[in-house]
Amino acid sequence: MAVKGPKVCLYKCRIGEEGFRALASALRSNPSHMRELQLSENKAGDSGVKHLSSLLEDPNCKLEKLHLDGCSIGEEGFRALASALRSNPSHMRELQLSHNKAGDSGVKHLSSLLEDPNCTLEKLHLDNCSIEEEGFRALASALRSNPSHMRELQLSYNKAGDSGVKHLSSLLQDPNCTLEKLRLDSCSIGDEGFRALASALRSNPSHMRELQLSWNGAGDSGVKHLSSLLENPNCKLEKLDLMYCSITDEGFRALASALRSNPSALRELLLYGNQPGPSAQQLFSELKTHPNCKHLQIYGL
């Protein structure tokens, strides 16, 4: 999504509460032109974000893209942001809030925005926000009630576990869900989580383009579930990241078989940090010349 119009970039400028107060006050006096505000890696805290929220709830505010990664925002800041955007939800398209202290409570406040039928958010980044199963449940429930706008969801380095991923899978199988990019690196996902993801995407395979699942406990059995998705002729996945997922020869054989059987849309497969033996190395060497895989770039072998 290209944002057209003025933007302000104040990344990593040591701005604290008073700076956020001044910025919000200035923009409230002339709110209708600003489209993009990049304020990541500053010292906003909840108080600073509350000042910014007073801008966001102004009906004349047309901001489309807001970056607040790494701004020490906790539950109260998430509550203020969600409340402000619920009162003026139709313009915001991208919200980046990674590396904050949301926790499940903060994410539940944000979920109340996502389920608003007037919310048209397309990209949401919540990497490393201390989200556990209850937060994943709240996000999935909210997006199921309003699923058609979200295109990119980043949730890496949270504590989803298999249970959290099962909640998310209930969203992915919804035929109205048109999510294209999903990032779940290092989310403590095991065999059951991979099974749930693969099953959900097999039932609604045509939208997902990028799936990042590195640093999880897939193992060979988890990768076998995912291979059943790749052999689906309706699967349009273009990038798959499975780095450091404890995959050995058995899992590599399943992946190779799936990719040989289907003229895949896959263009990029990342496999660094796994344990392929000589037989897997040979299989993937042959795979590179297979007619169904002529556009596929394989990294890590």
Side-chain angles (χ1 to χ4, degrees):
M1 176 193 66
V3 176
K4 296 180 179 179
K7 68 178 181 180
V8 169
C9 182
L10 293 168
Y11 169 77
K12 208 170 187 178
C13 287
R14 295 184 289 183
I15 307 171
E17 179 189 350
E18 286 307 305
F20 273 79
R21 184 202 300 270
L23 187 61
S25 176
L27 289 171
R28 278 201 309 274
S29 68
N30 184 25
S32 62
H33 300 292
M34 188 63 61
R35 294 295 181 267
E36 183 175 340
L37 198 50
Q38 297 190 15
L39 295 166
S40 294
E41 300 295 330
N42 284 297
K43 301 174 182 179
D46 290 343
S47 300
V49 168
K50 287 177 182 178
H51 297 309
L52 198 62
S53 297
S54 66
L55 164 69
L56 298 175
E57 65 191 5
D58 187 318
N60 294 312
C61 177
K62 304 294 191 296
L63 200 65
E64 297 176 8
K65 190 172 182 179
L66 178 61
H67 291 197
L68 290 169
D69 303 300
C71 281
S72 303
I73 310 170
E75 180 189 349
E76 287 306 305
F78 273 79
R79 185 201 299 271
L81 276 175
S83 176
L85 288 170
R86 279 201 310 274
S87 68
N88 183 28
S90 62
H91 301 288
M92 189 65 69
R93 298 292 183 271
E94 180 172 333
L95 196 52
Q96 297 197 15
L97 294 166
S98 294
H99 309 290
N100 284 298
K101 303 170 184 177
D104 289 344
S105 300
V107 168
K108 286 177 182 178
H109 297 309
L110 201 60
S111 297
S112 66
L113 164 67
L114 298 175
E115 64 192 6
D116 187 317
N118 294 311
C119 175
T120 55
L121 201 64
E122 297 173 4
K123 294 184 180 181
L124 178 61
H125 295 192
L126 291 169
D127 296 326
N128 191 23
C129 280
S130 304
I131 311 170
E132 300 188 14
E133 180 188 350
E134 284 306 304
F136 275 80
R137 184 201 300 270
L139 276 175
S141 176
L143 288 169
R144 279 200 311 272
S145 69
N146 182 28
S148 62
H149 300 288
M150 190 65 67
R151 296 292 180 271
E152 181 175 328
L153 193 54
Q154 296 197 9
L155 293 164
S156 294
Y157 306 101
N158 287 298
K159 300 174 183 177
D162 290 342
S163 300
V165 169
K166 286 178 183 178
H167 296 309
L168 200 60
S169 297
S170 67
L171 163 68
L172 298 176
Q173 66 190 13
D174 187 317
N176 295 311
C177 175
T178 54
L179 198 66
E180 296 174 1
K181 294 183 180 181
L182 178 61
R183 183 173 176 177
L184 291 168
D185 304 301
S186 193
C187 280
S188 304
I189 311 170
D191 176 35
E192 287 304 306
F194 274 78
R195 183 200 300 270
L197 277 175
S199 175
L201 288 170
R202 279 200 310 271
S203 68
N204 183 28
S206 61
H207 300 289
M208 189 65 68
R209 296 293 185 271
E210 184 174 324
L211 192 55
Q212 295 189 216
L213 295 165
S214 64
W215 295 96
N216 283 297
D220 292 336
S221 55
V223 168
K224 286 180 182 178
H225 299 311
L226 207 58
S227 297
S228 67
L229 165 66
L230 295 175
E231 62 192 10
N232 185 325
N234 295 314
C235 178
K236 298 297 187 293
L237 200 63
E238 296 174 2
K239 180 178 179 179
L240 177 60
D241 184 346
L242 291 171
M243 297 189 294
Y244 297 93
C245 279
S246 304
I247 311 169
T248 65
D249 273 11
E250 190 177 351
F252 277 95
R253 282 196 295 272
L255 276 174
S257 175
L259 292 167
R260 280 198 309 270
S261 70
N262 182 25
S264 175
L266 202 64
R267 295 292 180 269
E268 190 173 341
L269 179 60
L270 282 74
L271 294 167
Y272 293 105
N274 290 295
Q275 297 92 38
S279 62
Q281 295 275 4
Q282 180 62 32
L283 270 177
F284 272 78
S285 178
E286 294 168 0
L287 192 65
K288 292 176 183 178
T289 61
H290 194 281
N292 286 348
C293 303
K294 57 186 178 181
H295 302 299
L296 177 61
Q297 295 293 316
I298 302 169
Y299 300 96
L301 283 174

